[in-house]
Amino acid sequence: MRVDAVTLFPGMIDGPLSESIVGRARSEGFLELGFVNPRDFTEDRHRTVDDKPYGGGTGMVMMAEPLYRALKKVRKRGSCVILLTPKGSKFDQAAAVELSKKKHLVFICGHYEGVDERVTPLADLQLSIGDYVLTGGEPAAVAVIDAVTRLIPGVLRKSDATVNETFGDGLLEAPHYTRPAVWRGKKVPEALLSGNHRLIAQWRLEQAQALTSAERPDLAKPAKKKAGVAKAAKH
Ligand code: 6GU
């Protein structure tokens, strides 16, 4: 998969995504990650990318033209362009699965107070990673690219690793334990030591169900209809 990020701060994305599993996915060619900086598409001496908002107010707004030119540089036919904004639809595992099927994703990372509203129609999709405010779209791009990359076939070594995990089946995962069997007086649950695979599967399902209804009862409810990634990305 190819991913490009339109960002004033490529290091905020490149750094975190050079480590661990995503870093390996990049060096093995599962993920090709590129960057394009709107500042490189300015023409004034100060390479201005932001300006004061019309109508007044605090903060600065990212100007449309440098973003437009940067996007034009990387967008191809069939690219899925995603604007990262706290006003977007909430990113979740189902959205990650849909995005993992695309050939080319382009993320537009807003900074300052946001982007000129006139660039928003250039995006197929607007995504938020949660109800809190970040300084910019870059940490959100890292989260989305991470969640998508691990779903690319071959990135995770165990093929079933993305099926039985949290959210894969709409449940939080059962707790995990590793050696020693007793740690500072705390024992590993008996079922996990039994060697009986049916018993273990049963225990894990019960734990997952109990945990989900206690901590995330919203997940157990039938899925609400919402803006689907696959549908929105067709435009
Ligand atoms: Cl995508 N961007 C910003 N700036 N803040 C956010 C966000 C995105 N998602 C949650 N908060």
Side-chain angles (χ1 to χ4, degrees):
M1 172 186 277
R2 168 102 201 164
V3 174
D4 286 284
V6 177
T7 171
L8 295 172
F9 306 100
M12 288 180 76
I13 301 171
D14 192 27
L17 297 183
S18 295
E19 305 279 344
S20 184
I21 293 170
V22 180
R24 194 184 72 212
R26 288 172 75 183
S27 55
E28 290 178 354
F30 291 106
L31 171 69
E32 244 186 294
L33 181 57
F35 301 97
V36 57
N37 193 329
R39 206 175 285 285
D40 296 335
F41 298 84
T42 53
E43 281 173 351
D44 64 311
R45 199 158 60 83
H46 300 290
R47 306 180 79 204
T48 312
V49 289
D50 61 322
D51 207 340
K52 290 174 289 191
Y54 277 117
T58 54
M60 299 290 270
V61 177
M62 281 178 75
M63 296 162 73
E65 186 64 15
L67 281 171
Y68 172 78
R69 290 185 186 182
L71 181 61
K72 205 169 156 203
K73 175 96 179 175
V74 290
R75 177 177 222 166
K76 295 183 264 307
R77 231 174 297 114
S79 301
C80 178
V81 178
I82 299 152
L83 176 65
L84 293 164
T85 163
K87 298 176 196 169
S89 59
K90 191 85 62 73
F91 180 67
D92 61 10
Q93 191 61 25
V97 168
E98 290 309 314
L99 293 182
S100 72
K101 298 171 186 168
K102 312 272 181 198
K103 274 211 179 77
H104 184 210
L105 304 177
V106 180
F107 292 93
I108 303 176
C109 303
H111 239 265
Y112 311 113
E113 286 304 297
V115 302
D116 189 308
E117 188 66 23
R118 292 168 292 185
V119 304
T120 62
L122 299 174
D124 300 300
L125 198 63
Q126 297 187 32
L127 289 180
S128 162
I129 61 163
D131 292 337
Y132 41 81
V133 183
L134 301 168
T135 56
E138 287 80 3
V142 169
V144 174
I145 295 166
D146 182 291
V148 169
T149 301
R150 60 188 292 291
L151 296 174
I152 299 171
V155 168
L156 297 186
R157 265 140 204 195
K158 273 212 205 121
S159 60
D160 65 346
T162 65
V163 177
N164 288 328
E165 66 189 2
T166 293
F167 305 124
D169 51 8
L171 293 173
L172 302 178
E173 248 185 316
H176 302 295
Y177 300 85
T178 189
R179 291 190 293 178
V182 183
W183 175 73
R184 293 183 179 254
K186 291 174 191 277
K187 289 184 186 143
V188 172
E190 212 53 59
L192 296 178
L193 304 174
S194 69
N196 179 334
H197 295 293
R198 275 198 21 216
L199 187 68
I200 292 167
Q202 182 61 29
W203 181 87
R204 285 188 171 145
L205 179 63
E206 286 165 10
Q207 290 288 316
Q209 286 168 337
L211 189 62
T212 305
S213 58
E215 301 299 329
R216 292 296 304 276
D218 56 303
L219 288 179
K221 285 182 203 145
K224 272 185 281 172
K225 234 182 135 61
K226 57 179 184 168
V229 166
K231 218 171 133 209
K234 280 214 186 92
H235 302 202

